[in-house]
Amino acid sequence: MPEVHRKLQPIPFTDISFQDDFWSPRIKVNRDVTIPHIYDQCQATGRISAFTLDFQRSLPAPIVLIFGDSDIAKWVEAASFSLADFPDENLQAKVDDVIEKIIHAQQPDGYLNTHFIKGDPAMRWKNLRDWHEMYCAGHLIEAAVAHFHATGSHVMLDALTRYADHIDATFGPEPGKRPGYCGHPEIELALVKLYHATNNPRYLQMATYMVEERGAQPHYYDWEARQRGDDPAKYWAKTYDYCQAHLPVREQTKVVGHAVRAMYLLSAVADLAHEKNDLSLLVTCQRLWENLVSKRMYLTGAIGPSAHNEGFTQDYDLPDETAYAETCATIGVMMWNHRLLQFNGESKYADVIERALYNGFLSSISLTGDQFFYENPLASFGENRRQTWFDCPCCPPNIARTFASLGQYFYSSNADGVWVHQFAQGTAHFDLGGVPIQLRQQTDYPWNGNVRIEIGVDRVTEFGVHIRVPGWCRQWSVKINNLQLDIQPDANGYLVINRDWSPGDCIFYAMEMPIELTWANPAVRALQGRVAFQRGPLVYCLEAADHQDIPLETIALDGRSLTPDVFEAVHEPNLLGGLTIIQGYALALAQEDGADRLYQNAIPKGKKIKITALPYYAWANRNPGAMRVWLPVY
Amino acid sequence: MPEVHRKLQPIPFTDISFQDDFWSPRIKVNRDVTIPHIYDQCQATGRISAFTLDFQRSLPAPIVLIFGDSDIAKWVEAASFSLADFPDENLQAKVDDVIEKIIHAQQPDGYLNTHFIKGDPAMRWKNLRDWHEMYCAGHLIEAAVAHFHATGSHVMLDALTRYADHIDATFGPEPGKRPGYCGHPEIELALVKLYHATNNPRYLQMATYMVEERGAQPHYYDWEARQRGDDPAKYWAKTYDYCQAHLPVREQTKVVGHAVRAMYLLSAVADLAHEKNDLSLLVTCQRLWENLVSKRMYLTGAIGPSAHNEGFTQDYDLPDETAYAETCATIGVMMWNHRLLQFNGESKYADVIERALYNGFLSSISLTGDQFFYENPLASFGENRRQTWFDCPCCPPNIARTFASLGQYFYSSNADGVWVHQFAQGTAHFDLGGVPIQLRQQTDYPWNGNVRIEIGVDRVTEFGVHIRVPGWCRQWSVKINNLQLDIQPDANGYLVINRDWSPGDCIFYAMEMPIELTWANPAVRALQGRVAFQRGPLVYCLEAADHQDIPLETIALDGRSLTPDVFEAVHEPNLLGGLTIIQGYALALAQEDGADRLYQNAIPKGKKIKITALPYYAWANRNPGAMRVWLPVY
């Protein structure tokens, strides 16, 4: 039987610290602004007081959506992550208060969902397909596990254990239980966490059952609909693709449906491949990953082009301007790839994480930390701006919990050594057979590719340091102390340096980071004849703020002189928190004879103009105006 | 006071005959197949039996839509037009039978709408905004006028006169009447026709009032909604732009909303500019025409990109693949431009008619005459095919009536002479101060631009022949008999030849018709970096049927050698009824290294392949497959 288990373990975010100018300020803003802001919004919209169970559903305010519990759960998780790194009495008190309210709402049988306790008790567990009950439970479980790890307190964990036990008593393969699973996957990955937090294998079994039963015939959602007196054929989303329940997961060949659901489900599938040592589940992930990455992912790492189903459509359907590209789905991309990365340390998964992290994810929040994008299009010609909140506010707390636990994505370790997946100035602590080791990165990443890694050991210690060669990187060099190494990346895409490390040893890793011009696969019809700028991990865009006299849509690159070396990277320390822009010349197009004519038998005339591209993540932090990643070539 | 009246009069279609290989076969198919097919479909779907008033609204079949009366009305109009040119006892009997049924349904007060007589009597005239009552009346009036002209019979005209009188008694500015007008314009232009058929100026007054009242405040649709107990703010279409009632027509600056409604309204506005000698209405038409033609019209003459409102969105929003481009709207373009053309004989209006006629209109029907497109996208990558019928079948009878009266678009005359707007082999008869004159065109248009026009006079007669120089034509020559003329088009874009014409005089007009490459205005984001083929009046497309081994979306033109002279026009007499194709070389794109990768830092590699373009109108007459007008350039 093949060995499927993960060979690597992520170094927990609590053992990572950032001491850089890129992530540290964002994490501080997350702590100082975003987490308090989300608390205030949850309070103002009744998401906290809902747990007192004295709200009126008929009142227009506070608005408590059917999955309102999940929003505050993600806030508790984010706050707990933050507390684990940065103790804060005020935040701790708020968390304690919210948890007290949550526990107060729990019913004697363990059930815990404010909407169905108070708003619609007769409908409890009647519509797993649409009503997010287990989804909310999953987020509460994740919050409880995070709170337990951060504080050592069992109080929320115990409550959620009782809720999980209630769900276990209601659903499952055993006689008298219903073979149900949630339309919005989430609880599956949460139950794996609960299993590890409690060491109770029952929760792993629950997660396994929910993944295995998904898409089986006779279909639970058909049965459940008939029980409600509904015609299953009248399902509003028309097909169970929407919730990845159209087929058993092992038979699925494409990533389909609602993009967040797909990523959460596949995160659990990856977890179970490891936990159960199940190659068929890992192969399923690999197959769907290939489909995602080769045919269904935006350049920014975002996924899901369609607003209609908040998700996937067809292969190669990646329009820029109408991209839905939900923030939560991009976070899901990171979650899933993080799990896949730990199996064998293949750099392709870390590449996807990096792409999503620096682009599709980071674009979702303003530099001020209190405004958010739900959708992250790759072009905008209206007045598209980040919002302070949403009627469906799943994204803001998802962003907050990601920032608060960001370090988890950067390093892994095992008994043989350490993996440097991502680059940022700061420190990682890990333990090698009982020997504490530190890695200290010094770098200005992502502005240049020079990374100094100091090995912090107390005495000479042998282990391997694995350093990722990013997919975008074509030239690099490595020195140890003053010794140039002549090594190539291994089959997994990492430079592997196995040696006896002495205190003070330094690795000098230099990745060349030129400006790159990127073309999409010609099968992507929406991007034909278009080019995007990338530099290192960053996708760039043009923004109206830098091109005030020229309609942004008329700016094209000059196909007669289209090589990266006609553009220049310039660091601007005072612009939008400090960033490297790309400058050069392009064409402002107009009809050849200047006439305001729709069609003519001549290629539009281009006037040479200077252009500035800035990192995509930084757009929409100045005056409202157009933005475009993919530029036409004339 | 400026003279606004039309200087030209169209030569009626009954005085035009086609003797060509292009239109004649289509008109014959319209007569032999399309008109009988639509009758059968109207019968099968209860649109005829509805007039017996014994249908049950609750039965799922026959489906009688709220505007079902208009479909059979357009059939009566089409059949009447056809009978005027081609007597046919069988068709005449069907028309008589349908008219008898229609008249039978008329109520004692003159009212005549099967849905509101039988299905929902309490709602009669309660929702002019949404329910198409006057729209249906308008089409019945147009049918009655056509039937009267074709047969001399007053029977339907009298019935519809009574219905118009009933409407006149119900709506209008006078005390006790309601200031209402229809959400779907149509009756306005029909009332102008009724005025001419009856010589009763009351109907012109009705049309004038309906156009003048449209968009006035306080708004009739607000009042009407409140009368029904509805909140006007909850209008499903959100804004009265949808029905061009957001502002008085003279204050409208862009063509907006539902595209068919816009064209029908503006056709009436053009009619009234003439009838009332009202410059402000003509100026309104000119302003909206500029907006349409310079910012909102597809290369095919189709209009209205959005399925959402079946209409307009923003300037320069002209996506190819998702183009709604409804057939009825393209017909509306022809109707409106035909009316504008008669004011001063400006060729730009005939250019638009030609563009719409040969492309957006002609694509809407199969060569067999029994399958129809409702939407006419400029690219298709699915299995998009024409249908035999639609739940909302407004387009098929609109196509039929257009073919049956096609000749009207080709010539105009006045006391000074004749205008040749369009080119087709055949004969036009007109009358110049009592002197009967014939023009006989000999030509293979649109396959080449050589047109021989023989002047049929009995004796020497002086008049002007105005021959259009199409917008697409850049080189031409004219001879009379053997004499080369050295003339330029006049300010209206016509070659004007004033002389004493002798029997047998011939004009030899030769328009050069090279292959042209067309670029869209760079402000059209969806078409940036793309090129379309045109030749003469025809827009070309690539179709999968001619490129079976190559995914059509990967075919690009080679930007390094992109001139029209590398392509060749080849006439194929046996292909799809005979047509001229364009052949040449292009690139089949693939990722540079052949990998199935979404993004890379290299321009896709192009393999040289042979391509065939065929006229857009002819697509989807072979095996289902992709089609594309606008090709990327690499």
Side-chain angles (χ1 to χ4, degrees):
Chain A
M1 186 164 143
E3 181 60 22
V4 175
H5 294 298
R6 291 174 180 148
K7 318 290 179 296
L8 283 61
Q9 281 209 318
I11 299 182
F13 70 88
T14 44
D15 294 331
I16 310 286
S17 67
F18 292 91
Q19 293 117 17
D20 69 331
D21 292 334
F22 192 85
W23 293 112
S24 295
R26 306 299 289 252
I27 294 167
K28 182 168 167 23
V29 164
N30 189 54
R31 208 159 61 231
D32 294 348
V33 179
T34 311
I35 290 174
H37 173 85
I38 294 168
Y39 177 85
D40 292 346
Q41 293 288 340
C42 280
Q43 194 166 52
T45 57
R47 283 175 164 75
I48 298 172
S49 62
F51 288 97
T52 64
L53 304 180
D54 60 1
F55 63 91
Q56 295 293 321
R57 283 292 295 176
S58 58
L59 289 177
I63 299 160
V64 179
L65 282 179
I66 203 164
F67 39 91
D69 294 358
S70 70
D71 303 313
I72 189 66
K74 273 187 279 188
W75 178 84
V76 171
E77 190 183 10
S80 298
F81 288 157
S82 187
L83 289 171
D85 270 346
F86 303 96
D88 174 336
E89 275 179 33
N90 181 31
L91 181 60
Q92 180 73 61
K94 279 182 182 164
V95 169
D96 289 347
D97 174 66
V98 169
I99 289 176
E100 195 185 316
K101 288 194 168 72
I102 291 172
I103 294 171
H104 167 266
Q106 190 166 33
Q107 301 296 291
D109 62 359
Y111 187 82
L112 181 45
N113 180 304
T114 62
H115 174 76
F116 290 97
I117 293 170
K118 172 73 185 179
D120 205 357
M123 282 294 125
R124 187 197 282 198
W125 300 133
K126 291 288 199 308
N127 187 345
L128 299 192
R129 188 189 70 192
D130 298 330
W131 288 348
H132 292 69
E133 260 167 307
M134 289 190 191
Y135 167 84
C136 289
H139 276 302
L140 285 166
I141 290 168
E142 282 201 275
V145 171
H147 183 252
F148 165 66
H149 287 313
T151 64
S153 159
H154 273 266
V155 55
M156 187 172 181
L157 190 67
D158 288 348
L160 268 298
T161 302
R162 286 195 301 279
Y163 191 13
D165 292 342
H166 166 78
I167 294 170
D168 188 31
T170 311
F171 297 98
E174 296 85 358
K177 297 185 184 181
R178 304 206 292 270
Y181 49 90
C182 192
H184 196 315
E186 153 62 26
I187 194 170
E188 299 82 354
L189 70 87
L191 286 168
V192 175
K193 289 186 176 183
L194 186 62
Y195 155 60
H196 284 288
T198 61
N199 286 316
N200 184 343
R202 189 72 208 154
Y203 303 126
L204 182 62
Q205 224 168 308
M206 286 173 70
T208 306
Y209 177 71
M210 289 172 178
V211 167
E212 295 289 344
E213 185 62 23
R214 194 170 201 89
Q217 294 292 349
H219 207 288
Y220 183 75
Y221 298 157
D222 288 347
W223 176 85
E224 182 197 56
R226 281 190 217 100
Q227 291 295 111
R228 292 193 306 271
D230 293 345
D231 179 356
K234 292 195 175 144
Y235 177 36
W236 68 272
K238 299 218 172 84
T239 147
Y240 295 146
D241 283 20
Y242 175 71
C243 47
Q244 298 83 38
H246 54 306
L247 284 173
V249 68
R250 287 183 188 77
E251 296 172 29
Q252 299 185 18
T253 55
K254 295 188 180 232
V255 285
V256 296
H258 187 279
V260 181
R261 297 177 193 225
M263 293 301 103
Y264 286 12
L265 173 63
L266 290 170
S267 293
V269 171
D271 281 343
L272 294 176
H274 164 69
E275 301 291 350
K276 313 292 283 189
N277 202 39
D278 186 329
L279 183 63
S280 66
L281 290 178
L282 185 59
V283 166
T284 295
C285 283
Q286 289 163 341
R287 183 173 63 240
L288 296 174
W289 187 91
E290 279 298 334
N291 177 244
L292 181 72
V293 168
S294 71
K295 297 186 177 63
R296 296 184 175 221
M297 196 174 73
Y298 281 102
L299 188 63
T300 57
I303 59 173
S306 170
H308 174 70
N309 64 347
E310 300 195 305
F312 298 104
T313 53
Q314 294 86 40
D315 287 347
Y316 300 116
D317 182 28
L318 294 163
D320 56 348
E321 197 175 333
T322 58
Y324 194 69
E326 184 184 340
T327 299
C328 287
T330 309
I331 292 171
V333 167
M334 291 163 58
M335 288 164 51
W336 182 37
N337 279 276
H338 187 228
R339 283 161 168 82
L340 293 173
L341 177 60
Q342 312 307 325
F343 282 91
N344 295 298
E346 293 172 82
S347 66
K348 63 184 183 182
Y349 301 119
D351 284 347
V352 172
I353 292 170
E354 186 179 58
R355 184 179 288 285
L357 178 61
Y358 283 89
N359 302 291
F361 167 70
L362 197 51
S363 67
S364 69
I365 183 165
S366 66
L367 294 172
T368 55
D370 55 356
Q371 298 192 306
F372 314 94
F373 276 137
Y374 192 110
E375 303 171 34
N376 297 271
L378 280 77
S380 170
F381 291 93
E383 300 280 286
N384 204 10
R385 306 312 275 179
R386 296 183 186 88
Q387 307 293 315
T388 52
W389 197 242
F390 305 93
D391 287 343
C392 170
C394 50
C395 300
N398 222 348
I399 296 167
R401 67 175 183 154
T402 303
F403 272 118
S405 60
L406 190 70
Q408 67 179 315
Y409 290 106
F410 279 65
Y411 299 89
S412 294
S413 69
N414 67 13
D416 299 327
V418 64
W419 277 254
V420 181
H421 302 304
Q422 307 296 343
F423 307 102
Q425 182 154 300
T427 310
H429 297 260
F430 64 101
D431 192 285
L432 207 71
V435 180
I437 299 174
Q438 277 191 21
L439 290 191
R440 281 185 292 276
Q441 280 195 48
Q442 261 189 302
T443 179
D444 287 326
Y445 203 85
W447 309 126
N448 69 58
N450 299 327
V451 181
R452 177 184 185 275
I453 302 172
E454 189 185 332
I455 311 295
V457 285
D458 291 334
R459 56 175 185 279
V460 172
T461 313
E462 188 189 352
F463 61 95
V465 176
H466 304 243
I467 304 174
R468 175 172 147 263
V469 180
W472 56 260
C473 178
R474 296 193 275 185
Q475 296 281 346
W476 69 89
S477 63
V478 201
K479 286 200 294 189
I480 295 182
N481 304 326
N482 286 322
L483 177 72
Q484 189 79 38
L485 295 193
D486 181 20
I487 56 170
Q488 290 299 315
D490 70 352
N492 288 333
Y494 283 72
L495 301 170
V496 185
I497 311 172
N498 268 306
R499 57 176 263 155
D500 287 328
W501 297 98
S502 302
D505 274 354
C506 274
I507 302 169
F508 296 90
Y509 180 40
M511 295 169 275
E512 284 188 26
M513 195 183 272
I515 295 165
E516 302 269 12
L517 299 173
T518 304
W519 280 260
N521 190 309
V524 183
R525 298 195 292 272
L527 302 180
Q528 288 178 335
R530 306 245 230 123
V531 164
F533 289 105
Q534 292 188 98
R535 183 171 177 272
L538 296 172
V539 172
Y540 278 71
C541 68
L542 264 56
E543 197 178 15
D546 298 307
H547 307 88
Q548 291 185 1
D549 299 330
I550 303 157
L552 203 75
E553 66 271 24
T554 68
I555 298 179
L557 299 181
D558 188 341
R560 292 161 303 180
S561 61
L562 192 55
T563 56
D565 53 5
V566 303
F567 298 97
E568 189 187 5
V570 179
H571 196 70
E572 294 280 356
N574 298 317
L575 180 63
L576 297 168
L579 45 75
T580 297
I581 59 172
I582 294 174
Q583 290 193 315
Y585 290 90
L587 302 173
L589 300 174
Q591 283 290 52
E592 193 266 337
D593 60 358
D596 186 19
R597 198 179 294 168
L598 253 183
Y599 306 105
Q600 67 179 32
N601 301 325
I603 191 165
K605 202 168 60 178
K607 200 183 86 185
K608 195 173 177 183
I609 54 161
K610 197 165 183 183
I611 58 163
T612 295
L614 84 163
Y616 169 75
Y617 76 78
W619 91 278
N621 279 293
R622 294 176 291 175
N623 290 337
M627 179 278 295
R628 197 175 210 185
V629 169
W630 290 97
L631 304 175
V633 178
Y634 271 84
Chain B
M1 189 164 141
E3 180 61 22
V4 176
H5 294 297
R6 291 173 180 148
K7 318 291 179 297
L8 283 59
Q9 282 208 320
I11 299 181
F13 70 88
T14 43
D15 294 331
I16 311 287
S17 67
F18 293 90
Q19 292 118 19
D20 68 333
D21 293 334
F22 192 85
W23 293 113
S24 296
R26 305 301 287 252
I27 294 167
K28 182 169 174 8
V29 165
N30 188 54
R31 209 161 60 231
D32 293 348
V33 179
T34 312
I35 290 174
H37 172 85
I38 293 169
Y39 176 86
D40 291 345
Q41 293 288 339
C42 280
Q43 193 166 54
T45 57
R47 282 173 164 76
I48 298 171
S49 62
F51 288 97
T52 65
L53 304 180
D54 59 3
F55 63 92
Q56 295 292 321
R57 284 291 297 176
S58 59
L59 290 177
I63 298 161
V64 178
L65 282 179
I66 203 164
F67 38 91
D69 293 359
S70 70
D71 303 314
I72 189 66
K74 272 186 281 188
W75 179 84
V76 171
E77 190 184 11
S80 298
F81 287 156
S82 186
L83 289 172
D85 269 347
F86 303 96
D88 175 335
E89 277 180 31
N90 181 30
L91 180 60
Q92 180 72 59
K94 280 182 183 165
V95 169
D96 289 347
D97 174 66
V98 169
I99 289 175
E100 194 185 318
K101 288 194 167 73
I102 291 172
I103 295 170
H104 168 266
Q106 189 165 33
Q107 302 297 291
D109 62 0
Y111 186 82
L112 182 43
N113 180 304
T114 61
H115 174 76
F116 291 97
I117 293 169
K118 172 72 184 182
D120 204 358
M123 284 293 126
R124 186 197 283 197
W125 300 133
K126 291 287 199 307
N127 187 344
L128 298 191
R129 189 188 69 191
D130 298 330
W131 288 348
H132 292 70
E133 259 167 308
M134 289 189 192
Y135 166 85
C136 288
H139 276 303
L140 285 166
I141 290 168
E142 282 201 276
V145 171
H147 183 251
F148 165 65
H149 286 314
T151 63
S153 158
H154 274 263
V155 56
M156 187 173 182
L157 189 67
D158 288 346
L160 270 296
T161 303
R162 286 196 301 278
Y163 190 14
D165 293 341
H166 167 78
I167 294 171
D168 188 30
T170 311
F171 298 97
E174 297 85 358
K177 297 185 184 180
R178 303 207 291 271
Y181 49 89
C182 192
H184 196 315
E186 153 61 25
I187 194 171
E188 298 84 354
L189 71 86
L191 286 167
V192 175
K193 289 187 175 182
L194 187 61
Y195 155 60
H196 284 288
T198 61
N199 286 316
N200 183 345
R202 190 70 209 157
Y203 303 126
L204 181 62
Q205 224 169 309
M206 286 173 71
T208 306
Y209 177 72
M210 288 172 177
V211 167
E212 295 288 344
E213 186 62 23
R214 195 169 200 88
Q217 295 292 347
H219 206 288
Y220 182 75
Y221 298 157
D222 289 348
W223 175 85
E224 181 197 57
R226 281 191 216 99
Q227 292 295 112
R228 292 192 307 267
D230 292 345
D231 179 355
K234 293 194 174 145
Y235 176 35
W236 68 270
K238 299 218 171 81
T239 147
Y240 296 146
D241 283 21
Y242 175 71
C243 47
Q244 298 84 36
H246 55 305
L247 284 173
V249 68
R250 288 183 188 78
E251 297 172 30
Q252 299 185 18
T253 55
K254 295 188 180 231
V255 284
V256 296
H258 187 278
V260 181
R261 297 177 193 225
M263 293 302 102
Y264 285 12
L265 173 62
L266 290 169
S267 293
V269 171
D271 281 343
L272 294 175
H274 164 71
E275 301 292 349
K276 313 292 284 189
N277 202 40
D278 186 329
L279 183 62
S280 66
L281 290 178
L282 185 58
V283 166
T284 294
C285 282
Q286 288 164 341
R287 184 174 61 242
L288 296 175
W289 187 90
E290 279 299 333
N291 176 245
L292 181 74
V293 169
S294 71
K295 298 186 176 64
R296 297 182 174 222
M297 195 174 74
Y298 282 102
L299 188 63
T300 56
I303 59 173
S306 171
H308 174 70
N309 65 346
E310 300 195 307
F312 298 104
T313 53
Q314 294 87 40
D315 287 347
Y316 300 117
D317 182 28
L318 294 163
D320 55 347
E321 197 175 333
T322 58
Y324 194 69
E326 184 184 338
T327 299
C328 287
T330 309
I331 292 170
V333 166
M334 292 164 57
M335 288 164 51
W336 183 35
N337 279 275
H338 187 227
R339 283 160 169 83
L340 293 174
L341 176 61
Q342 312 308 324
F343 282 92
N344 295 299
E346 294 173 80
S347 65
K348 63 184 183 182
Y349 301 118
D351 284 346
V352 171
I353 291 169
E354 185 180 60
R355 183 178 289 286
L357 178 62
Y358 282 91
N359 302 289
F361 167 70
L362 197 50
S363 67
S364 68
I365 184 165
S366 65
L367 294 172
T368 55
D370 56 355
Q371 298 192 307
F372 313 95
F373 276 137
Y374 192 110
E375 303 171 34
N376 297 272
L378 279 78
S380 169
F381 291 94
E383 300 280 286
N384 204 9
R385 306 311 275 181
R386 298 183 185 86
Q387 306 294 315
T388 52
W389 196 243
F390 306 94
D391 286 344
C392 170
C394 50
C395 300
N398 222 347
I399 296 167
R401 68 175 182 153
T402 303
F403 272 118
S405 59
L406 190 71
Q408 67 179 316
Y409 290 105
F410 280 66
Y411 299 89
S412 295
S413 68
N414 67 13
D416 299 327
V418 64
W419 277 254
V420 181
H421 302 304
Q422 308 296 344
F423 308 102
Q425 182 154 303
T427 311
H429 297 261
F430 63 102
D431 191 285
L432 207 71
V435 179
I437 299 174
Q438 276 191 22
L439 290 192
R440 281 185 291 277
Q441 281 195 46
Q442 262 189 299
T443 178
D444 287 326
Y445 202 86
W447 308 126
N448 69 57
N450 300 327
V451 181
R452 178 184 184 277
I453 302 172
E454 188 184 332
I455 312 294
V457 285
D458 290 334
R459 56 175 184 278
V460 173
T461 312
E462 188 189 351
F463 60 94
V465 176
H466 304 243
I467 304 174
R468 175 170 147 263
V469 181
W472 56 260
C473 179
R474 296 193 275 186
Q475 297 281 346
W476 68 90
S477 63
V478 201
K479 286 199 294 190
I480 295 184
N481 304 327
N482 285 322
L483 178 71
Q484 189 81 37
L485 295 192
D486 180 20
I487 55 170
Q488 291 299 316
D490 69 353
N492 288 332
Y494 283 72
L495 300 171
V496 185
I497 311 171
N498 269 308
R499 59 176 260 157
D500 288 328
W501 298 98
S502 301
D505 273 353
C506 274
I507 301 169
F508 297 90
Y509 180 40
M511 296 169 275
E512 285 190 24
M513 194 183 273
I515 295 165
E516 303 269 11
L517 299 172
T518 304
W519 281 261
N521 189 309
V524 182
R525 298 194 293 273
L527 302 179
Q528 287 179 335
R530 307 243 230 123
V531 164
F533 289 105
Q534 293 187 97
R535 183 171 177 272
L538 295 172
V539 172
Y540 278 71
C541 68
L542 264 56
E543 196 178 15
D546 298 307
H547 307 88
Q548 290 185 2
D549 300 330
I550 303 157
L552 203 75
E553 66 271 23
T554 68
I555 298 179
L557 299 180
D558 188 340
R560 292 161 303 180
S561 61
L562 192 54
T563 55
D565 52 5
V566 303
F567 299 96
E568 190 187 5
V570 179
H571 195 70
E572 294 280 356
N574 298 318
L575 179 63
L576 297 168
L579 44 75
T580 298
I581 59 172
I582 294 175
Q583 290 193 314
Y585 290 90
L587 303 173
L589 300 173
Q591 283 290 53
E592 193 266 335
D593 60 358
D596 187 17
R597 200 180 291 168
L598 253 184
Y599 306 106
Q600 68 178 33
N601 302 326
I603 191 164
K605 202 169 59 178
K607 200 183 88 187
K608 196 173 177 183
I609 56 160
K610 197 164 182 185
I611 59 165
T612 296
L614 83 162
Y616 168 75
Y617 76 77
W619 91 277
N621 278 294
R622 294 177 290 174
N623 290 338
M627 178 278 295
R628 197 174 211 186
V629 169
W630 289 97
L631 305 175
V633 178
Y634 272 82

